[in-house]
Amino acid sequence: MNKRPTPMRLSDVVAAHVRELIVSGQLHAGAFIRPEAVAEELGVSATPAREGLLQLQTEGFLSVEPRRGFMVTALSSDDIRDIYDAQALLGGELTARAAATITPATVDELERIQDALERAAAAGDFDEEERLNHEFHALIYRMSGSRKMRWLIKTTLAYAPRKFFAAVEGWPEASARDHRAIVEHLRTNDPENARAAMARHIRNAGTLLADHLARDSEPS
């Protein structure tokens, strides 16, 4: 019997929303955030809003300023590049391991996901494209059989602005383009080229996000 997915706690919903606002450049370093304002925006009470912001403080996205509240900390383009370099190493290794054992049926499923992703991109349905992008990567990583490494890569995924996918120039196009090379090398059970294709894809995404944040932080 399939287990139902565990619903997110409200504090986690708050943390995910504000984290993505920061990573996508919609909240800048030095901006102040009030729990009451976040609670009103998301339709939750003040308690989970504050708990979510405290979670982001422990992750380094926010600091607490006496008598002023929560402030967005600086997130540089170099920070993003470092994080995506780490993600590329992990994602590349997971993809190489998946390539060694993946079945033609699973590759067919990846191609079906990719076909749907490209249709969503062509239609400008970026929410659906983002969902399919996440499904594409998750399926490959699951095929690796490496539970601990999958847990490690999840710690870097907080820096991918999923809800604001289209805000980063070039991201939707990169997902639609880069995945085909990954599928090709998985189809031929070629671990080293699959590793290189995934690592290249992730580093490309990191460069696009870093450039987006650098442009967004320039004085107007």
Side-chain angles (χ1 to χ4, degrees):
M1 185 171 62
N2 291 332
K3 293 175 64 179
R4 292 183 179 179
T6 303
M8 290 180 68
R9 296 181 304 171
L10 290 177
S11 58
D12 291 335
V13 172
V14 170
H17 177 74
V18 176
R19 186 190 297 115
E20 291 186 4
L21 286 172
I22 295 169
V23 173
S24 64
Q26 298 184 58
L27 279 175
H28 299 94
F32 282 92
I33 306 172
R34 294 189 303 109
E36 297 81 7
V38 175
E40 182 177 356
E41 180 181 358
L42 296 180
V44 301
S45 66
T47 297
R50 181 170 180 80
E51 289 173 350
L53 296 181
L54 286 170
Q55 179 180 328
L56 293 180
Q57 181 197 8
T58 66
E59 294 176 10
F61 287 98
L62 300 175
S63 62
V64 177
E65 300 297 315
R67 296 181 298 280
R68 301 191 68 184
F70 293 92
M71 186 180 76
V72 178
T73 58
L75 181 65
S76 72
S77 55
D78 285 342
D79 292 334
I80 291 295
R81 287 189 177 90
D82 287 345
I83 290 161
Y84 274 77
D85 277 346
Q87 187 182 137
L89 291 171
L90 292 167
E93 177 62 24
L94 287 167
T95 305
R97 294 184 185 191
T101 59
I102 199 165
T103 65
T106 302
V107 179
D108 288 344
E109 177 61 20
L110 285 170
E111 288 197 324
R112 283 192 291 271
I113 294 169
Q114 182 62 18
D115 288 343
L117 185 154
E118 291 177 15
R119 288 194 298 271
D125 186 351
F126 298 123
D127 288 342
E128 178 67 1
E129 184 185 359
E130 189 285 321
R131 185 190 70 78
L132 290 163
N133 178 65
H134 178 75
E135 186 177 345
F136 180 91
H137 283 262
L139 178 55
I140 293 171
Y141 297 161
R142 192 162 63 247
M143 290 300 99
S144 73
S146 306
R147 290 188 303 120
K148 293 298 184 183
M149 198 173 296
R150 281 156 48 203
W151 176 83
L152 284 171
I153 202 169
K154 281 183 180 178
T155 65
T156 70
L157 297 180
Y159 292 85
R162 293 184 58 186
K163 287 169 67 177
F164 305 99
F165 191 70
V168 181
E169 184 179 348
W171 259 37
E173 294 80 5
S175 289
R177 180 186 64 244
D178 294 353
H179 288 180
R180 287 294 177 185
I182 297 168
V183 171
E184 177 185 343
H185 298 308
L186 290 171
R187 174 75 69 187
T188 57
N189 297 109
D190 185 342
E192 290 312 309
N193 279 317
R195 181 203 308 276
M198 179 62 81
R200 187 164 53 247
H201 169 51
I202 293 172
R203 287 195 173 95
N204 182 33
T207 297
L208 291 170
L209 180 55
D211 291 347
H212 170 79
L213 290 176
R215 285 194 302 271
D216 205 55
S217 63
E218 291 176 354
S220 55

